[in-house]
Amino acid sequence: MKTNYFKQTLLVLLFATALFNSCSKKKDEVAPSSDNSGVTPSQTSVSTYKIVTLTSKETLASSYNGTFGNVPVTLTKTSDSTLAFIVPEVATGEQVLKFDLSTIRFTVSQTISADAEQTIAEIIQTFDSNIGALDPETPAEYGDIDSMTLAKMQITNYMNALSDDEKKQAVLFYEANKELFTPFISSVQALPSGSIEFRSQSDCPRTNYKEYYLCHASILLGLTSELSTSFQAASSVFGTETNAFVGGMYLILTRVRPSIFKFRGMAGSFLEAKWILSDKLFQDIPFQFTDEEYKNLNLNAKFRTIDTYEDQYLSGTTSELFLSLAFLNLYWSQFKFLGEFPAYKNLSIPATLVTGDITISNITNPRVELWGQSGESVRFRSINGTEESFQYTIQIEKQGFSYSKVLSAQLRALDSLAFYRNEIVGTWIHTWASGEMDEYLLEPGGSGYRVSTTNAQGEKTIIEPYDWYNTVSWSVGGTNNDFSFGFSYDNRNIGFGGKITYPAMQITSSYGPIKKQ
C-alpha cells in the first residue's frame, strides 16, 4: 500500500517536524548525556510517536541504526548536521537512545488519543467544514477544491484499508506531531479573505501601490518561510515508515491543506497584481520639438506584474521573497496533494499619467523655456525665435515609484528657414484645373522628382525611371513668418509658388493648389 509519494511526503514531514522541534526547543529540556560525543537532542522530554531531532558536530552518514530502550530505531540524516527519528512505543519514564555516535537519556511520556475511528471521522469532518468555508474566485481555485475533495476520498479509502492497530498508531502519530504546521495555519487564518488587490479591507497602508504591495510581500514572505521550514530538505531524508505513519502523515496534511489553499490564493493574487510602474518610460521620447507646439512624450507608461529578474533589487523584502519562493518550489512539486505552485505572470496594463506626475526641469539652454504641460504632452519656447539644442531632466512619480532621466532635444522655430526647409521634404500632390494630378517627392537640399501622374479619369501612371524631364528643384525664402515656397520641373522652369500655410503645408498657385501629404 505504500508508494513513493507516501514515502516522500512522510520523509519531508519527518524533517519538517525535526526542524520545528529544533527551532522551539527549551533550554531546560536539553540534558547532556554521559556520552553524547557532541550530539545534542532538540529536547529530552519526549512523547511516544514524536519526531525528534539531534544536532551533531560530526560528519554524518545517511542513516544510523540504534535502539531506543529495547526497541530498534532508524536515525535519518535530515541535513549536514541533523538527524531525526520517531520515538517508538516504549514505557514511560527514562529511556536511553544508543547508536554509533552517542548514548542519550530521554524522559518519555505516552501520547494519548481518543478512539481512532472517532478521531479520523472528526478530522475528515473538520476538513469538509474547512473546504465548505473556502471562497473560490477563479477557475483554478474551483479546480483546486475539486482536487482536495478527490484527495479526501483517497485518504479516506487509505485509512479504511488499515487494520485497527494501524489506525490507532496513525492517530497517535497525528496527535504527537499535529502542531507542526500550527504557526503556518494560525498565520493564514489571520489573513483577510479574497484577492489582495489595492482595496480598503487590507491592513496594509493604501498610501500608494508600492508601499501597499511591499507590505503584502512581507506578509507573503513570512508565510513562505513558515511553510518552507516544514518542507525543506525532503530529498535528503531516507527513513523507514509503516502504513500507520503514512496514514498519520495524511491526517496531518489534511489538517493543513485548506490553509495551503488560502496561501496559494494570496501568492497567486500577488504574482498577478499589476502594481510596478515600468521603468521603460523613456525609450520613445521624441528628440525634436516645434516652437510653442504641444508634443506627446510617448512615455509608454504601464503597470506590470513583478518579475524575478527585473525586481530582485526592488527592496530587501522582494529579494528575500524570491529566494524563499524558489526554495519552497523545490519541494512543493513532490506533493500532488498541495496543487500547483503559484506561478509568475507577465501581465501589464496602461498607466495614465497626469500633469502632476511629470516634472520637466534643468533646461540647459537659457534661450529655451518650458512653455506648457498638459498630461503627457509638453511644449517648449525659443525665446529668440531661433532653432536651439538643449538638454532637460524629466522625472516621473507615480504610485510610490520615481524615475528620472536627462534627455537631449532640438527645438525647431517656426520663424526660421531651416524649419520650413525640413518640413518641405516629403510627398506633395499638385491638382490641375482639369482635374489631373501630379505627385512629387521632394528631397533634402532642394532636389526631387515627379513620381506619378493621374488623369482626369483617375488612371494613375508611375513614372520610372526619373529622367531629366521629371527632375524637380525647390526652394524656400522669406522672413518673419512670411515664407514662400516654389519649385520648377520639365526643364522649362514651369514653377509653382506661393505663401506656405503651417501646419497645413499648402500653397495656392496660378496652376492650381499643391499640398503636402
Side-chain angles (χ1 to χ4, degrees), residues 368-382:
V368 176
E369 61 183 349
L370 180 65
W371 199 239
Q373 284 184 246
S374 178
E376 297 186 25
S377 296
V378 299
R379 60 178 177 175
F380 296 97
R381 176 175 177 264
S382 172

PDB file of all heavy atoms in Angstrom, residues 368-382:
ATOM      1  N   VAL A 368      15.913  78.638 -24.163  1.00  0.00           N
ATOM      2  CA  VAL A 368      14.758  77.728 -24.266  1.00  0.00           C
ATOM      3  C   VAL A 368      14.054  77.699 -22.913  1.00  0.00           C
ATOM      4  O   VAL A 368      14.698  77.627 -21.862  1.00  0.00           O
ATOM      5  CB  VAL A 368      15.200  76.302 -24.663  1.00  0.00           C
ATOM      6  CG1 VAL A 368      14.009  75.349 -24.660  1.00  0.00           C
ATOM      7  CG2 VAL A 368      15.872  76.311 -26.028  1.00  0.00           C
ATOM      8  N   GLU A 369      12.725  77.726 -22.950  1.00  0.00           N
ATOM      9  CA  GLU A 369      11.963  77.623 -21.710  1.00  0.00           C
ATOM     10  C   GLU A 369      10.774  76.690 -21.906  1.00  0.00           C
ATOM     11  O   GLU A 369      10.272  76.519 -23.014  1.00  0.00           O
ATOM     12  CB  GLU A 369      11.488  78.993 -21.248  1.00  0.00           C
ATOM     13  CG  GLU A 369      10.576  79.709 -22.220  1.00  0.00           C
ATOM     14  CD  GLU A 369      10.197  81.092 -21.727  1.00  0.00           C
ATOM     15  OE1 GLU A 369      10.475  81.409 -20.564  1.00  0.00           O
ATOM     16  OE2 GLU A 369       9.623  81.870 -22.525  1.00  0.00           O
ATOM     17  N   LEU A 370      10.371  76.080 -20.772  1.00  0.00           N
ATOM     18  CA  LEU A 370       9.171  75.248 -20.795  1.00  0.00           C
ATOM     19  C   LEU A 370       7.965  76.168 -20.915  1.00  0.00           C
ATOM     20  O   LEU A 370       7.772  77.070 -20.097  1.00  0.00           O
ATOM     21  CB  LEU A 370       9.095  74.407 -19.517  1.00  0.00           C
ATOM     22  CG  LEU A 370       7.883  73.482 -19.379  1.00  0.00           C
ATOM     23  CD1 LEU A 370       7.917  72.390 -20.444  1.00  0.00           C
ATOM     24  CD2 LEU A 370       7.848  72.868 -17.978  1.00  0.00           C
ATOM     25  N   TRP A 371       7.118  75.929 -21.923  1.00  0.00           N
ATOM     26  CA  TRP A 371       6.043  76.840 -22.234  1.00  0.00           C
ATOM     27  C   TRP A 371       4.672  76.291 -21.858  1.00  0.00           C
ATOM     28  O   TRP A 371       3.661  76.967 -21.955  1.00  0.00           O
ATOM     29  CB  TRP A 371       6.095  77.186 -23.716  1.00  0.00           C
ATOM     30  CG  TRP A 371       5.361  78.433 -24.100  1.00  0.00           C
ATOM     31  CD1 TRP A 371       4.327  78.538 -24.988  1.00  0.00           C
ATOM     32  CD2 TRP A 371       5.598  79.764 -23.641  1.00  0.00           C
ATOM     33  NE1 TRP A 371       3.905  79.834 -25.116  1.00  0.00           N
ATOM     34  CE2 TRP A 371       4.680  80.624 -24.288  1.00  0.00           C
ATOM     35  CE3 TRP A 371       6.510  80.318 -22.736  1.00  0.00           C
ATOM     36  CZ2 TRP A 371       4.638  81.992 -24.062  1.00  0.00           C
ATOM     37  CZ3 TRP A 371       6.477  81.682 -22.510  1.00  0.00           C
ATOM     38  CH2 TRP A 371       5.555  82.498 -23.161  1.00  0.00           C
ATOM     39  N   GLY A 372       4.642  75.005 -21.431  1.00  0.00           N
ATOM     40  CA  GLY A 372       3.368  74.437 -21.010  1.00  0.00           C
ATOM     41  C   GLY A 372       3.420  72.924 -20.891  1.00  0.00           C
ATOM     42  O   GLY A 372       4.238  72.253 -21.521  1.00  0.00           O
ATOM     43  N   GLN A 373       2.533  72.375 -20.049  1.00  0.00           N
ATOM     44  CA  GLN A 373       2.356  70.929 -19.890  1.00  0.00           C
ATOM     45  C   GLN A 373       0.876  70.622 -19.848  1.00  0.00           C
ATOM     46  O   GLN A 373       0.082  71.369 -19.266  1.00  0.00           O
ATOM     47  CB  GLN A 373       2.998  70.430 -18.584  1.00  0.00           C
ATOM     48  CG  GLN A 373       4.501  70.326 -18.595  1.00  0.00           C
ATOM     49  CD  GLN A 373       5.032  69.727 -17.306  1.00  0.00           C
ATOM     50  OE1 GLN A 373       5.718  70.396 -16.534  1.00  0.00           O
ATOM     51  NE2 GLN A 373       4.718  68.458 -17.077  1.00  0.00           N
ATOM     52  N   SER A 374       0.511  69.506 -20.440  1.00  0.00           N
ATOM     53  CA  SER A 374      -0.864  69.033 -20.408  1.00  0.00           C
ATOM     54  C   SER A 374      -0.851  67.519 -20.497  1.00  0.00           C
ATOM     55  O   SER A 374      -0.626  66.953 -21.571  1.00  0.00           O
ATOM     56  CB  SER A 374      -1.673  69.636 -21.558  1.00  0.00           C
ATOM     57  OG  SER A 374      -3.001  69.129 -21.548  1.00  0.00           O
ATOM     58  N   GLY A 375      -1.067  66.858 -19.375  1.00  0.00           N
ATOM     59  CA  GLY A 375      -0.983  65.398 -19.361  1.00  0.00           C
ATOM     60  C   GLY A 375       0.404  64.939 -19.747  1.00  0.00           C
ATOM     61  O   GLY A 375       1.392  65.360 -19.144  1.00  0.00           O
ATOM     62  N   GLU A 376       0.487  64.094 -20.774  1.00  0.00           N
ATOM     63  CA  GLU A 376       1.772  63.583 -21.228  1.00  0.00           C
ATOM     64  C   GLU A 376       2.364  64.418 -22.366  1.00  0.00           C
ATOM     65  O   GLU A 376       3.333  64.008 -23.000  1.00  0.00           O
ATOM     66  CB  GLU A 376       1.637  62.122 -21.671  1.00  0.00           C
ATOM     67  CG  GLU A 376       1.235  61.173 -20.553  1.00  0.00           C
ATOM     68  CD  GLU A 376       1.240  59.722 -20.980  1.00  0.00           C
ATOM     69  OE1 GLU A 376       1.974  59.388 -21.925  1.00  0.00           O
ATOM     70  OE2 GLU A 376       0.500  58.920 -20.374  1.00  0.00           O
ATOM     71  N   SER A 377       1.795  65.588 -22.626  1.00  0.00           N
ATOM     72  CA  SER A 377       2.304  66.466 -23.685  1.00  0.00           C
ATOM     73  C   SER A 377       2.970  67.701 -23.076  1.00  0.00           C
ATOM     74  O   SER A 377       2.526  68.214 -22.044  1.00  0.00           O
ATOM     75  CB  SER A 377       1.172  66.907 -24.606  1.00  0.00           C
ATOM     76  OG  SER A 377       0.617  65.797 -25.282  1.00  0.00           O
ATOM     77  N   VAL A 378       4.033  68.174 -23.733  1.00  0.00           N
ATOM     78  CA  VAL A 378       4.741  69.382 -23.290  1.00  0.00           C
ATOM     79  C   VAL A 378       5.036  70.251 -24.501  1.00  0.00           C
ATOM     80  O   VAL A 378       4.995  69.790 -25.649  1.00  0.00           O
ATOM     81  CB  VAL A 378       6.076  69.042 -22.569  1.00  0.00           C
ATOM     82  CG1 VAL A 378       5.821  68.202 -21.330  1.00  0.00           C
ATOM     83  CG2 VAL A 378       7.040  68.337 -23.523  1.00  0.00           C
ATOM     84  N   ARG A 379       5.324  71.526 -24.239  1.00  0.00           N
ATOM     85  CA  ARG A 379       5.778  72.397 -25.318  1.00  0.00           C
ATOM     86  C   ARG A 379       6.890  73.297 -24.774  1.00  0.00           C
ATOM     87  O   ARG A 379       6.865  73.717 -23.616  1.00  0.00           O
ATOM     88  CB  ARG A 379       4.641  73.223 -25.896  1.00  0.00           C
ATOM     89  CG  ARG A 379       3.940  74.148 -24.919  1.00  0.00           C
ATOM     90  CD  ARG A 379       2.875  74.944 -25.635  1.00  0.00           C
ATOM     91  NE  ARG A 379       2.116  75.808 -24.722  1.00  0.00           N
ATOM     92  CZ  ARG A 379       1.195  76.676 -25.101  1.00  0.00           C
ATOM     93  NH1 ARG A 379       0.913  76.802 -26.392  1.00  0.00           N
ATOM     94  NH2 ARG A 379       0.556  77.424 -24.219  1.00  0.00           N
ATOM     95  N   PHE A 380       7.847  73.567 -25.634  1.00  0.00           N
ATOM     96  CA  PHE A 380       8.964  74.437 -25.311  1.00  0.00           C
ATOM     97  C   PHE A 380       8.890  75.694 -26.185  1.00  0.00           C
ATOM     98  O   PHE A 380       8.276  75.683 -27.263  1.00  0.00           O
ATOM     99  CB  PHE A 380      10.299  73.729 -25.550  1.00  0.00           C
ATOM    100  CG  PHE A 380      10.515  72.529 -24.660  1.00  0.00           C
ATOM    101  CD1 PHE A 380      10.236  71.249 -25.118  1.00  0.00           C
ATOM    102  CD2 PHE A 380      10.988  72.683 -23.371  1.00  0.00           C
ATOM    103  CE1 PHE A 380      10.428  70.140 -24.318  1.00  0.00           C
ATOM    104  CE2 PHE A 380      11.190  71.575 -22.546  1.00  0.00           C
ATOM    105  CZ  PHE A 380      10.909  70.305 -23.024  1.00  0.00           C
ATOM    106  N   ARG A 381       9.558  76.745 -25.742  1.00  0.00           N
ATOM    107  CA  ARG A 381       9.570  78.009 -26.485  1.00  0.00           C
ATOM    108  C   ARG A 381      11.001  78.469 -26.718  1.00  0.00           C
ATOM    109  O   ARG A 381      11.828  78.437 -25.801  1.00  0.00           O
ATOM    110  CB  ARG A 381       8.813  79.077 -25.723  1.00  0.00           C
ATOM    111  CG  ARG A 381       8.836  80.461 -26.370  1.00  0.00           C
ATOM    112  CD  ARG A 381       7.966  81.429 -25.600  1.00  0.00           C
ATOM    113  NE  ARG A 381       8.038  82.772 -26.165  1.00  0.00           N
ATOM    114  CZ  ARG A 381       8.850  83.732 -25.715  1.00  0.00           C
ATOM    115  NH1 ARG A 381       9.650  83.488 -24.684  1.00  0.00           N
ATOM    116  NH2 ARG A 381       8.858  84.925 -26.284  1.00  0.00           N
ATOM    117  N   SER A 382      11.254  78.883 -27.955  1.00  0.00           N
ATOM    118  CA  SER A 382      12.531  79.511 -28.289  1.00  0.00           C
ATOM    119  C   SER A 382      12.406  81.007 -28.029  1.00  0.00           C
ATOM    120  O   SER A 382      11.640  81.699 -28.706  1.00  0.00           O
ATOM    121  CB  SER A 382      12.899  79.241 -29.754  1.00  0.00           C
ATOM    122  OG  SER A 382      14.030  79.987 -30.123  1.00  0.00           O
TER     123      SER A 382
END
